C-alpha cells in the first residue's frame, strides 16, 4: 500500500483533463465561490508512475507520482471512468499518434521538440550561445604553457561520450592519448576539467582503468606522468577513486579496476567510498517512502531518515569534494578523479569541488557553466538517469538531484556565498525532468548533435537568465566571496538537513506560510523602484529648472510593506515554491488583491493545516484516513464529537478527454 | 557574630590595601567592568565611583570565605570561535573575569558564576586545566599554572556557582549606572490585564482572595474568576485542587468571547471525591454555552494513576458539560533527560551520520516539541475554530499547563506577538503564574549533580516559539536573539525576574524592591533594536503551525550556538536587519 500525502491541502472536487502534454486538474468552484478553479498542471514527462488502488465506496483511487516529488491522489467516481483514464494514460501513445503521454519511445516525442515559447530563430540561437565552454576554459587560464586543446576527439572517434574539445597536458601526445583511452573504460581517458590557476593545479577526470588483476598500459602511465609534470608545485598527483574499495576490487574480476601504485610513478591513490547508482536509487526510494507516510511520527521520521541512508550519501559526496579541494588549494597538487565510467560520481565530485574552489561557480551564470561543463558536456547520462525515454529502470538514479542537494546544503552553511537561492536549484531540477528544453536531452554531446537540439529546441539557460531576478539570493555578498574564495564547509553530521523544499515542494501544508527570502526580495525590488522613481523625479525637476529642495520633493511611493499590511492577511501557501516567487511589484499587488478576496476562505481553508479526520462508520474509516486532508491532526477526539463542523470532500474527477 | 564579621571585614580590607598598586587597579577595573557590563558581553572598563567600591566590598565580604585564590596571572582561556588568550583570571563573588594581556586594546571576558553548570579539572604536572561547561551550552577551558591555585579556583567556582540563598545571588548586587531600582518592576499585573479587556467585565471579576498567598501559595495576589463565584467558593475550590491552584482565567478570545482557564488537577482521589464549588466554578465559565473542553496534558492512563496518590481528573458524571481530551506532554525528569541526551548528541564530534540521526531521535526532544505544538494547536482550535472555552491542566499546573496555554495564545492573539506583548505574556503566564524557575533551572544539561526538580520546560517553550518564528518569520515582533537571551537569562541572570519559584517567594525576598527587572531592561530603546524583528508585519489572523516532522527543525541557533555555522547565520540575520533599515530610510527620504 502506498502512503502518500495529497498535494493539496484539502480534497476538492474537480475535473481532470488530459491534453497532449499535460494532465490538468481544475477544481470545480461550486462549493466555494471565492477560490474559483484552482488548477494543477502536470507535465506528462514528470509522471513517474500511475497506480490504481483498490476500489473504495467513493470510487476508484489513482495515485500519480511525479519526478519532481509531487504525489497526486485522484478519486474517480465510477469504476468505468477510472479504467478509461488509467488505460488511456497507458495507451495514449497509440491513441494520439505523435504525442505520447507517459512512456515516450523516441526523442522526437519529447516536449522540447514541440515546445514553442514564441521566440524567433535568432533568439533561439542566442539562447544557445549563452554558455560557451571555450570561453570558460580561457577564464581558467587554459590553454597555457602546460595545457593545450587537443583535436583528437574532433569526430568523437576516441571517445563517444566526451565532447569534441578536450584539454590535455602539452606533453601528452596523440599516441599517448589514444593508448590511454584504450586502457580506460568506455575510452574515457584523463582530461582536464578544472584548472586552479593560483597554484597551476589541475582537476582531471576519467573512467576506471582496465587493469584487471595485473594489466598495465604504458601510455596510460605516461598520461598520468604528463599530468603530474604539468604541475610544478607538487611532485605527485592524487588519484581519487570515488568508489568504495570493495566495489573497485570487485571490478577487477571483470577486467576493470583501479590504478596500481607500483606501476604509476608519483601517484597517491585514495578511495573515497561513494556508493553506486543502484544504492542511491534505493536510498531515495526509502526516503520517499518514509516521508510519504501519513501521520508520520517524529521518531519514525528520524529513524526512517537514518535508515534510508540518504543524508549519509550526501555527506559522502561533500566529503569527497572537500578532499579534492584541500588537495588542490591547500597542497597545490593535481588530482585525477574517477569512478567506474566517470560520469556519475566523478561528475558529482569534480563539479562540487570546483564550486568550493571557485567563487565564479557560485554565481548564477557560473553555476550554469559548471553544469554545462561537468555534467552535460562530459556525458552524464541524463536520458538514462532521468528516464527520459522508457528505458532500463536499473539505469535510473538521482545522481544529479544529489548534486543539487549538496549545493543546497552548502548554501545553508554559507548563506552569503551564493548568488542564487534555493529556487534556482529547484527550477533546474524541475526542468532536468520536464524535457521542455533541449539542454538535458540525450546522454552525451554526440547524441545531442545528432538530434540537432540547437536547431529544434530551446535552451533552459536563456529562460532562467531572463527570470534571473527570481533566483537571486538577497544575502549574497561578493565581498564575502572575496574574503573566502575557497569554502571550507563543516561536514559534522548535524550540518546536513532534510531538504523539505525539494522532496515536499508541492506539499503546501508543510512549508512556512511566510518567507524571509521572498519578503526581502520584494522589499529590495520596491526600494529599487523607489530609488529610480526618485531619480526620475529629480531629473524632471532639473529639466524644469528647479533645484531640488528636500522639503519640496514629492514623497516617494510608500513601501509595499505598508500596502501589504493593509491587506492584513497571510499569503496563501504557494502552490510551488518556484511559482510562488515574487516576480515584480505588480505581481505582489495582484497577490494582495487576491488575498484580500480570499480572506474568509483563507481562514477556513488555507489555515487548515490542522486538518481534521472524520471518523465515521468503521467501514469507511480507513479510506477516510487515507484520503483525509492531511495527517497529524491535533484532535481526532474533537472531530468525533463535532462532525457538523467538519467538511470534507473527496476529489471527484470526471474525465473529459 | 557581629564581631566575627567585623574582623573579617578588617582582614579583608587590610589585605586589599596591601596588594600592590597594579593589581588593585586591575581589580578596580574588573569591578567597574562587572558593574557596567552585562553577562558575557565585552565592554571596555570605566572609572570607578565610590558606590561601586562599597558594593564590591560588601559582595566580597559575604562570599569571600569561598575565595581562596582571587587572582591568577598567566592563565590561558580557550573559548569556542576565539583564539586562545593568555591573561589574568579573577574570581569575585559572582563572576569569573578574564582580562587578556593585549596592551593596546585589552579584551575582557566576563562570566556569571551562576551560568556554570559543571566543571571538570585535569591536572598535569604543576598546572591544571579546568573545563567549564555553562548553562548556555558554551564550553570553555582555563589553563591555570600552579596546582594549588587551580584547585582553589575550581573549588570557588563549584561553591559559588550554586549558591542556595536567594539574597546572596547576583541580581541583588547588580547596579548598572543606567538603570535604577526605582524603575518600574514588571510590565503588567492582573489588574492591569483585566482593565485592558473591557469585554470581560460583565462576566468576570478580579478576586484578591489570595492577597496573603494563603489560598494558593503559587498564584499571584490577584486572579480573574467568574463574577458569579464568590471568594468563599474559591477557597473551597482551591482545597479541591493540587497546590490550591483553582481554575483561573488566563486568556480571553475577543473574536468569540471564549476563554482559556488553567488550574492543577482536581484532588478526586481513589474514592472519587467531588467538590460542588469547583463544579460550579467551571459551570460558570461556560455559562450560556453548551460545553467546554478540558485539556489534560497527561495521558488518560497517567490521569487514572494519579488518583492513587490523591490526584485525579474531572469525571464525565460530575462535569457533564465538559469534554475531556488527554494529550501527553512530557515534563519533569523525562524532559530533563531528553535535553541532556540532545546536548550530548550535539557536542559529539563524530562524523557518523547514522549515529547523529539515531542520537537525535533517541533524545526525543523534537518529539516533545511536536507534541507541545500540536497540543497547543488543539487548544487554539477548540477556542478559535470550535468556539468553546477550554480548561487546561496537568498535575501541578505549573509546567506543561503553562507551556500549552502560552503557545496557544501566541497562535491566536496578535497582541501577544509583539515584543512587549510577548514579554508581558511570559510575565503573566510564567513568572506570575508560578513556574518554579529556581527549581527547574537550577541545572542545565551538563551537570553531574543528582537531578532534583530540574526540567527545561521553559526552554521547550522557547523552542516552540522559535518553531513558530521559523514558520511565520513576519508574524512575530521579536527575533531569535530575544529567545536566545531569554534562554540564557532563565538559567543565570543579572536581573531578578527569574529568581525564586513563585510570587510569594519573590515577595518574601523583596525581589521587586532589590533587583532590576529583565523585561523592562529588554524594552529600552538600545536593546529593543537588537530584539525586534525587522520584518515584522502585524497580522490579525491565527498562525497555525505545521506539526509535520518535516516542518519542525532542530533549533540550531541554540543547540549549536557555539559553532561556526551559527555565526554565518547570525551574520546573515544582521544583513537582513541592515538591509531593512536601509530601505526604510530610503522610503522616508
Amino acid at each position: 500500500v502506498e502512503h502518500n500525502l495529497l498535494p493539496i491541502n484539502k480534497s476538492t472536487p474537480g475535473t481532470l483533463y488530459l491534453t497532449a502534454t499535460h494532465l490538468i486538474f481544475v477544481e470545480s468552484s461550486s462549493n466555494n465561490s471565492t477560490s474559483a478553479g484552482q488548477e494543477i498542471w502536470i507535465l506528462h514527462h514528470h509522471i513517474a508512475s500511475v497506480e490504481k488502488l483498490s476500489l473504495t465506496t467513493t470510487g476508484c483511487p489513482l495515485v500519480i507520482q511525479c519526478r519532481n516529488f509531487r504525489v497526486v491522489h485522484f478519486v474517480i467516481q465510477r469504476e468505468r471512468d477510472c479504467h478509461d483514464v488509467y488505460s488511456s494514460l497507458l495507451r495514449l501513445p497509440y491513441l494520439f499518434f505523435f504525442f505520447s503521454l507517459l512512456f515516450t519511445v523516441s526523442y522526437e516525442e519529447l516536449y522540447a521538440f514541440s515546445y514553442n515559447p514564441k521566440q524567433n530563430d535568432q533568439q533561439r540561437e542566442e539562447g544557445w550561445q549563452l554558455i560557451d565552454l571555450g570561453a570558460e576554459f580561457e577564464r581558467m587560464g587554459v590553454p597555457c604553457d602546460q595545457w593545450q586543446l587537443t583535436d583528437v576527439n574532433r569526430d568523437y572517434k576516441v571517445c563517444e561520450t566526451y565532447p569534441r574539445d578536450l584539454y590535455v597536458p602539452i606533453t601528452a601526445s596523440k599516441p599517448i592519448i589514444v593508448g590511454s583511452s584504450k586502457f580506460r573504460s568506455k575510452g574515457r581517458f584523463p582530461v582536464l576539467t578544472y584548472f586552479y590557476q593560483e597554484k597551476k593545479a589541475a582537476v582531471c577526470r576519467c573512467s576506471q582503468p582496465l587493469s584487471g588483476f595485473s594489466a598495465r598500459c604504458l601510455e596510460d602511465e605516461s598520461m598520468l606522468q604528463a599530468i603530474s609534470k604539468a604541475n610544478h608545485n607538487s611532485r605527485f598527483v592524487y588519484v581519487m577513486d570515488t568508489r568504495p574499495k570493495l566495489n573497485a576490487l570487485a571490478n577487477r574480476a571483470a577486467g576493470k579496476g583501479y590504478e596500481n601504485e607500483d606501476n604509476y610513478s608519483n601517484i597517491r591513490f585514495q578511495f573515497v567510498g561513494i556508493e553506486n547508482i543502484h544504492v542511491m536509487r534505493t536510498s531515495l526510494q526509502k526516503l520517499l517512502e518514509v516521508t510519504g507516510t501519513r501521520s508520520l511520527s517524529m521518531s519514525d521520521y528520524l529513524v526512517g531518515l537514518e535508515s534510508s541512508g540518504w543524508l549519509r550519501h550526501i555527506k559522502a559526496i561533500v566529503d569527497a569534494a572537500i578532499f579534492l579541494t584541500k588537495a588542490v588549494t591547500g597542497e597545490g597538487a593535481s588530482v585525477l578523479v574517477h569512478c567506474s565510467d566517470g560520469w556519475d560520481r566523478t561528475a558529482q565530485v569534480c563539479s562540487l569541488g570546483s564550486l568550493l574552489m571557485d567563487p565564479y561557480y557560485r554565481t548564477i551564470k557560473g553555476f550554469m557553466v559548471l553544469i554545462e561543463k561537468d555534467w552535460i558536456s562530459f556525458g552524464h547520462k541524463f536520458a538514462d538517469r532521468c528516464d527520459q525515454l522508457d528505458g532500463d529502470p536499473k539505469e535510473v538514479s538521482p545522481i544529479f538531484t544529489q548534486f543539487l542537494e549538496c549545493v543546497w546544503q552548502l548554501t545553508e552553511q554559507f548563506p552569503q556565498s551564493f548568488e542564487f537561492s534555493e529556487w534556482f536549484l529547484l527550477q533546474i531540477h524541475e526542468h532536468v525532468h520536464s524535457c521542455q528544453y533541449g539542454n538535458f536531452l540525450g546522454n552525451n554531446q554526440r547524441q545531442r548533435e545528432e538530434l540537432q537540439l540547437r536547431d529544434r529546441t530551446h535552451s533552459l539557460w536563456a529562460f532562467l537568465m531572463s527570470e534571473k531576478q527570481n533566483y537571486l539570493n538577497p544575502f549574497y555578498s561578493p565581498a564575502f566571496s572575496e574574503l573566502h574564495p575557497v569554502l571550507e564547509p563543516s561536514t559534522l553530521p548535524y550540518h546536513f538537513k532534510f531538504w523539505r523544499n525539494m522532496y515536499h515542494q508541492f506539499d503546501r501544508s508543510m512549508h512556512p506560510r511566510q518567507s524571509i527570502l521572498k519578503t526581502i526580495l520584494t522589499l529590495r525590488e520596491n526600494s529599487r523602484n523607489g530609488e529610480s522613481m526618485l531619480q526620475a523625479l529629480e531629473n524632471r525637476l532639473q529639466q524644469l529648472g528647479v533645484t531640488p529642495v528636500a522639503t519640496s520633493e514629492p514623497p516617494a511611493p510608500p513601501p509595499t510593506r505598508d500596502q501589504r499590511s493593509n491587506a492584513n492577511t497571510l499569503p496563501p501557501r504557494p502552490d510551488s515554491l518556484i511559482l510562488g516567487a515574487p516576480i515584480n511589484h505588480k505581481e505582489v499587488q495582484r497577490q494582495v488583491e487576491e488575498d484580500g478576496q480570499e480572506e474568509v476562505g483563507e481562514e477556513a481553508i488555507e489555515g487548515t493545516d490542522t486538518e481534521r479526520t472524520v471518523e465515521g462508520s468503521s467501514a469507511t474509516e480507513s479510506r477516510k484516513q487515507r484520503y483525509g486532508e492531511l495527517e497529524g491532526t491535533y484532535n481526532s477526539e474533537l472531530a468525533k464529537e463535532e462532525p457538523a463542523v467538519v467538511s470534507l470532500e473527496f476529489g471527484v474527477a470526471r474525465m473529459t478527454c | 557574630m557581629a564581631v566575627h564579621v567585623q574582623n573579617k571585614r578588617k582582614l579583608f580590607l587590610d589585605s586589599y590595601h596591601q596588594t600592590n598598586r597594579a593589581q588593585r587597579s586591575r581589580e578596580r577595573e574588573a569591578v567597574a567592568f562587572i558593574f557596567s557590563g552585562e553577562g558575557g558581553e565585552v565592554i571596555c572598563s570605566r572609572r570607578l565611583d565610590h558606590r561601586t567600591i562599597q558594593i564590591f566590598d560588601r559582595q566580597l565580604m559575604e562570599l569571600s570565605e569561598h575565595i581562596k585564590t582571587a587572582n591568577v596571572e598567566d592563565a590561558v582561556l580557550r573559548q569556542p570561535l576565539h583564539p586562545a588568550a593568555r591573561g589574568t583570571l579573577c574570581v569575585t563573588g559572582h563572576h569569573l573575569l578574564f582580562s587578556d594581556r593585549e596592551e593596546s586594546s585589552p579584551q575582557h571576558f566576563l562570566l556569571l558564576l551562576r551560568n556554570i553548570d559543571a566543571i571538570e579539572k585535569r591536572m598535569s604536572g604543576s598546572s591544571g586545566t579546568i573545563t567549564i561547561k555553562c548553562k548556555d551550552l558554551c564550553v570553555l577551558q582555563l589553563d591555570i599554572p600552579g596546582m594549588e591555585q587551580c584547585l582553589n579556583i575550581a573549588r570557588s567556582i563549584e561553591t559559588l556557582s550554586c549558591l542556595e540563598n536567594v539574597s546572596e545571588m547576583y541580581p541583588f548586587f547588580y547596579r548598572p549606572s543606567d538603570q535604577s531600582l526605582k524603575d518600574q518592576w514588571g510590565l503588567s499585573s492582573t489588574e492591569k490585564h483585566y482593565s485592558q479587556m473591557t469585554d470581560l467585565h460583565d462576566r468576570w471579576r478580579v478576586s484578591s482572595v489570595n492577597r496573603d498567598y494563603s489560598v494558593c501559595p503559587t498564584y499571584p495576589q490577584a486572579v480573574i474568576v467568574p463574577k458569579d463565584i464568590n471568594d468563599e467558593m474559591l477557597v473551597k475550590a482551591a482545597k479541591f485542587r493540587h497546590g490550591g491552584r483553582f481554575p483561573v482565567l488566563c486568556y480571553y478570545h475577543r473574536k468569540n468571547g471564549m476563554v482559556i482557564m488553567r488550574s492543577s488537577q482536581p484532588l478526586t482521589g481513589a474514592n472519587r471525591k467531588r467538590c460542588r464549588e469547583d463544579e460550579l466554578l467551571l459551570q460558570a465559565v461556560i455559562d450560556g454555552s453548551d460545553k467546554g473542553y478540558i485539556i489534560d496534558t497527561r495521558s488518560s492512563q497517567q490521569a487514572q494513576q494519579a488518583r492513587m496518590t490523591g490526584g485525579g481528573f474531572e469525571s464525565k458524571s460530575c462535569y457533564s458539560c465538559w469534554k475531556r481530551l488527554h494529550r501527553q506532554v512530557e515534563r519533569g525528569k523525562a524532559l530533563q533527560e531528553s535535553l541532556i541526551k540532545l546536548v550530548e548528541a550535539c557536542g559529539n564530534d563524530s562524523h557518523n551520520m547514522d549515529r547523529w540521526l539515531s542520537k537525535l531521535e533517541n533524545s526525543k526532544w523534537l518529539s516533545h516539541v511536536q507534541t507541545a505544538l500540536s497540543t497547543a494547536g488543539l487548544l487554539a482550535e477548540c477556542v478559535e475554530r470550535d468556539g468553546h472555552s477550554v480548561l487546561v491542566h496537568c498535575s501541578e499546573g505549573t509546567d506543561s499547563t503553562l507551556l500549552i496555554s502560552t503557545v496557544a495564545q501566541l497562535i491566536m492573539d496578535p497582541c501577544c506577538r509583539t515584543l512587549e506583548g510577548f514579554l508581558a505574556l511570559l510575565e503573566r503566564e510564567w513568572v506570575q503564574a508560578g513556574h518554579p524557575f529556581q527549581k527547574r533551572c537550577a541545572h542545565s544539561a551538563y551537570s553531574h549533580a543528582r537531578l532534583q526538580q530540574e526540567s527545561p520546560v521553559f526552554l521547550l517553550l522557547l523552542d516552540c516559539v522559535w518553531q513558530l518564528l521559523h514558520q511565520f518569520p513576519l508574524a512575530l515582533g521579536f527575533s531569535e536573539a530575544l529567545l536566545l537571551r531569554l534562554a540564557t537569562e532563565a538559567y543565570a541572570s543579572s536581573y531578578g525576574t527569574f529568581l525564586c519559584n513563585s510570587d510569594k517567594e519573590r515577595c518574601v525576598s523583596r525581589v521587586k524592591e532589590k533587583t532590576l527587572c529583565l523585561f523592562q531592561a529588554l524594552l529600552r530603546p538600545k536593546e529593543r533594536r537588537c530584539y525586534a524583528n525587522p520584518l515584522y508585519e502585524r497580522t490579525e489572523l491565527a498562525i497555525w503551525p505545521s506539526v509535520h516532522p518535516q516542518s519542525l527543525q532542530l533549533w540550531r541557533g541554540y543547540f549549536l550556538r557555539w559553532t561556526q555555522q551559527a555565526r554565518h547565520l547570525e551574520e546573515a540575520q544582521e544583513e537582513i536587519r541592515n538591509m531593512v533599515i536601509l530601505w526604510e530610510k530610503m522610503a522616508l527620504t
Side-chain angles (χ1 to χ4, degrees), chain A residues 541-567:
Chain A
L541 282 174
Q542 261 170 3
Q543 279 173 9
L544 293 170
V546 185
T547 336
V549 182
T551 46
S552 68
E553 250 173 59
T560 19
R561 288 188 69 196
D562 298 348
Q563 297 175 7
R564 290 188 45 194
S565 54
N566 288 343

Side-chain angles (χ1 to χ4, degrees), chain A residues 478-489:
Chain A
F480 183 90
S481 285
E482 241 166 67
L483 217 62
H484 308 269
V486 178
L487 296 186
E488 292 171 23

Side-chain angles (χ1 to χ4, degrees), chain A residues 439-452:
Chain A
N439 307 59
F440 299 105
L441 301 193
N443 281 325
N444 51 56
Q445 292 295 57
R446 190 182 153 191
Q447 214 175 5
R448 287 182 196 111
E449 281 175 25
E450 280 168 7
L451 290 169
Q452 299 168 297

Side-chain angles (χ1 to χ4, degrees), chain A residues 1-4 6 49-57 59-65 71-76 79 82-83 86 294 622-623 626-627:
Chain A
V1 180
E2 296 287 327
H3 306 276
N4 283 302
L6 280 173
S49 73
V50 180
E51 200 181 348
K52 190 177 137 188
L53 302 182
S54 58
L55 193 68
T56 68
T57 45
C60 172
L62 274 185
V63 181
I64 297 181
Q65 302 210 33
V71 181
V72 206
H73 286 245
F74 290 110
V75 179
I76 294 161
E79 159 73 333
C82 174
H83 197 70
Y86 182 62
R294 284 184 171 272
S622 65
R623 162 183 58 82
R626 215 188 285 153
Y627 301 107

Side-chain angles (χ1 to χ4, degrees), chain A residues 466-521:
Chain A
S466 71
E467 317 201 291
K468 187 177 171 183
Q469 77 277 9
N470 285 354
Y471 307 122
L472 291 176
N473 167 18
F475 310 123
Y476 175 58
S477 144
F480 183 90
S481 285
E482 241 166 67
L483 217 62
H484 308 269
V486 178
L487 296 186
E488 292 171 23
S490 158
T491 58
L492 282 169
Y494 47 68
H495 290 305
F496 292 86
K497 294 189 268 190
F498 173 71
W499 191 7
R500 186 190 58 222
N501 288 354
M502 171 65 99
Y503 304 105
H504 289 295
Q505 197 195 142
F506 297 92
D507 297 327
R508 291 188 292 166
S509 67
M510 283 188 197
H511 299 295
R513 290 277 297 275
Q514 301 172 320
S515 148
I516 294 186
L517 194 64
K518 200 168 155 178
T519 314
I520 294 275
L521 282 174

Side-chain angles (χ1 to χ4, degrees), chain B residues 59-269:
Chain B
Q59 186 185 348
L60 272 190
M61 274 283 315
E62 282 165 13
L63 301 169
S64 59
E65 59 183 310
H66 301 302
I67 304 172
K68 299 238 163 45
T69 303
N71 280 291
V72 178
E73 298 284 341
D74 224 20
V76 176
L77 171 73
R78 293 167 214 279
Q79 43 175 332
L81 305 174
H82 288 278
R86 190 175 285 275
T88 308
L89 180 74
C90 172
V91 184
T92 74
H94 292 109
H95 285 94
L96 208 58
L97 176 76
F98 181 88
S99 320
D100 72 9
R101 288 234 204 84
E102 280 312 311
E103 286 295 324
S104 50
S105 61
Q107 294 280 306
H108 298 290
F109 172 79
L110 183 70
L111 182 71
L112 201 57
L113 286 171
R114 186 86 193 153
N115 191 1
I116 295 174
D117 204 25
I119 63 167
E120 284 157 23
K121 2 180 225 285
R122 213 177 50 241
M123 297 297 160
S124 60
S126 64
S127 73
T129 302
I130 301 180
T131 306
I132 297 177
K133 297 182 170 179
C134 300
K135 290 172 186 167
D136 62 5
L137 307 186
C138 184
V139 178
L140 309 164
Q141 231 180 48
L142 279 172
D143 298 342
I144 294 169
M147 196 189 288
E148 170 134 22
Q149 288 196 85
C150 181
L151 288 174
N152 283 343
I153 297 269
R155 209 170 297 131
S156 304
I157 294 176
E158 272 168 354
T159 332
L160 293 169
S161 62
C162 38
L163 296 173
E164 291 284 331
N165 188 348
V166 173
S167 59
E168 278 179 352
M169 288 183 187
Y170 185 58
F172 287 91
F173 302 92
Y174 178 58
R175 300 286 175 268
S177 50
D178 55 343
Q179 291 169 67
S180 147
L181 287 180
K182 289 184 197 112
D183 295 346
Q184 192 198 341
W185 207 98
L187 304 171
S188 175
S189 63
T190 310
E191 289 86 351
K192 199 170 155 198
H193 186 214
Y194 179 80
S195 67
Q196 282 164 352
M197 299 183 294
T198 42
D199 304 350
L200 203 66
H201 293 186
D202 47 336
R203 286 191 48 217
W204 299 83
R205 67 183 181 100
V206 174
S207 161
S208 47
V209 65
N210 198 36
R211 73 183 75 78
D212 54 357
Y213 303 106
S214 60
V215 177
C216 173
T218 56
Y219 270 168
Q221 287 167 314
V223 290
I224 303 175
V225 292
K227 221 169 198 168
D228 304 340
I229 306 297
N230 61 33
D231 283 358
E232 280 162 46
M233 295 166 89
L234 290 178
V235 173
K236 285 189 182 148
K239 294 217 172 87
F240 185 62
R241 292 276 171 178
H242 189 117
R245 294 176 70 92
F246 56 91
V248 296
L249 177 134
C250 71
Y251 173 68
Y252 177 80
H253 197 50
R254 281 186 196 81
K255 280 183 204 155
N256 57 14
M258 294 300 136
V259 300
I260 301 178
M261 308 284 293
R262 56 174 153 70
S263 71
S264 59
Q265 63 179 345
L267 302 173
T268 51

Side-chain angles (χ1 to χ4, degrees), chain A residues 421-423 469-470 472-475 512-526 560-561 564 570-584 587-588 591-592 595, chain B residues 473-474 535 537 576 583:
Chain A
S421 68
E422 181 177 43
W423 292 336
Q469 77 277 9
N470 285 354
L472 291 176
N473 167 18
F475 310 123
R513 290 277 297 275
Q514 301 172 320
S515 148
I516 294 186
L517 194 64
K518 200 168 155 178
T519 314
I520 294 275
L521 282 174
T522 317
L523 277 176
R524 187 161 72 176
E525 187 65 23
N526 291 333
T560 19
R561 288 188 69 196
R564 290 188 45 194
L570 294 176
R573 289 182 197 281
D575 204 3
S576 138
L577 292 174
I578 303 161
L579 303 175
I583 314 300
N584 51 37
E587 191 80 4
V588 171
Q591 180 92 50
V592 169
D595 284 355
Chain B
L474 316 184
L535 298 174
E537 270 173 47
I576 297 182
W583 291 328

